[in-house]
Amino acid sequence: MTPNQKMWAFSRDQLANSISSLSYPKEFADLLAKQLGSPKAIDRLASYIWQAHPDSVEMIVDEMVAIQEEIAAWREKKEYREAHERYNTWLNSEERMNRDENEACELTEERRRTEEMRDLYIRSMSLPEPLPRDSYLNKLPVVKHLAEHGIEFHKQVTFFVGENGSGKSTLIEALAVSQGFNPEGGTKNFNFHTSDTHSELYDYLRVARGVIYPKDGYFLRAESFYNAATYIDEIGASHNYGGSLHRQSHGESFLALVENRFGGHGLYILDEPEAALSPKGIIRLIRNMDRLIRDDSQFIISTHSPMLLAFPDAEVYEIRDKGIVSVPYYQTDHYRTTVRFLQNPESAIEDILETDCE
């Protein structure tokens, strides 16, 4: 027998002994070994049986499935890492570096038009005059940053991300209102309000616009979307949105708005659009954003969604206690926190609950 065959035989015997200790037939062990497919996986299941003494076949099978899923996840991660390394190797290869310049610069007409968007509709915003001393807005990091540094827009998609209470929605709202959008959401032609809760920041905001004026625009605000949907029905405009938004689920109505009303060549300001969306819904939103970006649109978005933040070639501004910083996607707190949690959710939950108990 080869060393590998000996290892397989030893692992199968260990699993068979553990199964026999529970009064199950050895044929059951053979079936489990075939399903697991490797000595290490077989050893893990045998160790579980010796230590946990499961009292049913279902518990053993559940553990086997869990082991298989962990192995599959590990293999997928390994394949991704190897593919990433191959890609990096190619990027730095002499073959790639010495490619013919004309061939390297070839783009389809559609790609070239997208890459060379004439101008951004919103170039920057700042706060040239101070707010009243007693304004609560002075406590927000975004306000201090606007006054001292301003914010410049370099990409067709810009995200603002930060903890609850950091001021990102206040900033997004002020920008939208300064551009003539209804404070509760909608187009510039929406004329309704349920309560005047928006801040005074828009009155002090200076916004530098691009040369080209957007042909379309919308301010999507998650917390008052119901009010906007009601107004759309009241003015008889639901046909422009694929039907009444109230006759759809919350998430479907969000997507219906984007897919039917966002026409391109537009400025779209979104405040936490992921609030109503499942992960698949966020994927649909990303696809629609890509379509609109190719049609000379600009998005300015506040979000908590790590999935949405991954939109390619977007700029991410992270709002911190000391101001606003442009950061790579992989360095955002939202990405790192989510990855740490998903890599080991059981351990993460234990840490969270232990912290709460202290």
Side-chain angles (χ1 to χ4, degrees), residues 253-320:
S253 62
F254 264 50
L255 293 169
L257 166 68
V258 175
E259 292 173 350
N260 294 285
R261 176 57 187 78
F262 289 16
H265 295 273
L267 171 64
Y268 304 110
I269 302 175
L270 315 183
D271 182 24
E272 299 183 5
E274 76 279 2
L277 300 178
S278 67
K280 289 185 178 179
I282 292 175
I283 291 171
R284 276 177 62 183
L285 175 59
I286 290 172
R287 287 173 177 161
N288 279 284
M289 286 175 57
D290 181 65
R291 168 180 60 84
L292 291 160
I293 287 301
R294 293 175 183 276
D295 204 10
D296 288 352
S297 296
Q298 182 179 4
F299 282 86
I300 300 174
I301 305 172
S302 70
T303 184
H304 289 292
S305 170
M307 289 179 65
L308 195 55
L309 286 171
F311 192 91
D313 200 35
E315 182 157 30
V316 181
Y317 280 117
E318 189 168 68
I319 302 174
R320 301 174 179 175

Side-chain angles (χ1 to χ4, degrees), residues 6 13 57 63 76 84 93 112-113 119 125 137 150 155 164 170 209 214 230 236 242 302 304 325 330 355:
K6 290 180 180 179
D13 289 343
V57 171
E63 181 64 19
E76 183 177 352
H84 188 67
S93 66
R112 181 182 293 107
R113 185 173 61 84
D119 195 8
M125 54 182 174
L137 295 169
K155 305 286 187 177
N164 294 324
T170 301
R209 301 175 182 173
T230 300
S302 70
H304 289 292
V325 182
Y330 295 104
T355 302

Side-chain angles (χ1 to χ4, degrees), residues 37-140:
S38 73
K40 287 186 177 180
I42 295 170
D43 290 342
R44 283 185 58 183
L45 183 59
S47 177
Y48 161 76
I49 293 172
W50 286 119
Q51 294 179 23
H53 303 290
D55 55 12
S56 69
V57 171
E58 288 77 11
M59 291 180 66
I60 297 174
V61 173
D62 285 345
E63 181 64 19
M64 178 196 73
V65 172
I67 293 172
Q68 288 176 315
E69 290 176 346
E70 286 185 20
I71 292 173
W74 176 83
R75 285 175 178 166
E76 183 177 352
K77 184 176 180 180
K78 181 182 178 183
E79 290 173 359
Y80 172 81
R81 184 167 59 248
E82 290 175 348
H84 188 67
E85 289 174 354
R86 288 196 298 270
Y87 177 67
N88 283 335
T89 300
W90 175 80
L91 281 178
N92 297 315
S93 66
E94 186 174 344
E95 173 190 356
R96 191 256 177 182
M97 296 294 186
N98 297 330
R99 276 190 316 186
D100 182 82
E101 184 176 353
N102 292 331
E103 181 180 337
C105 294
E106 285 184 359
L107 293 169
T108 64
E109 193 61 34
E110 179 184 5
R111 178 78 179 277
R112 181 182 293 107
R113 185 173 61 84
T114 302
E115 295 285 341
E116 298 174 355
M117 182 179 176
R118 293 161 294 183
D119 195 8
L120 294 176
Y121 302 124
I122 301 294
R123 291 178 173 178
S124 67
M125 54 182 174
S126 60
L127 205 62
E129 298 181 10
L131 295 168
R133 288 186 177 182
D134 59 350
S135 175
Y136 75 95
L137 295 169
N138 289 314
K139 299 178 181 179
L140 297 177

Side-chain angles (χ1 to χ4, degrees), residues 152-209:
E152 293 186 351
F153 297 93
H154 308 101
K155 305 286 187 177
Q156 285 179 262
V157 177
T158 303
F159 292 110
F160 289 95
V161 62
E163 291 301 316
N164 294 324
S166 62
K168 60 186 180 301
S169 291
T170 301
L171 179 64
I172 286 289
E173 172 197 83
L175 174 61
V177 177
S178 74
Q179 298 308 295
F181 292 105
N182 187 289
E184 295 185 48
T187 70
K188 296 181 180 181
N189 296 321
F190 276 36
N191 184 23
F192 77 94
H193 72 277
T194 56
S195 59
D196 291 328
T197 58
H198 57 285
S199 74
E200 61 187 341
L201 182 59
Y202 76 95
D203 267 336
Y204 297 85
L205 200 63
R206 176 184 292 173
V207 178
R209 301 175 182 173

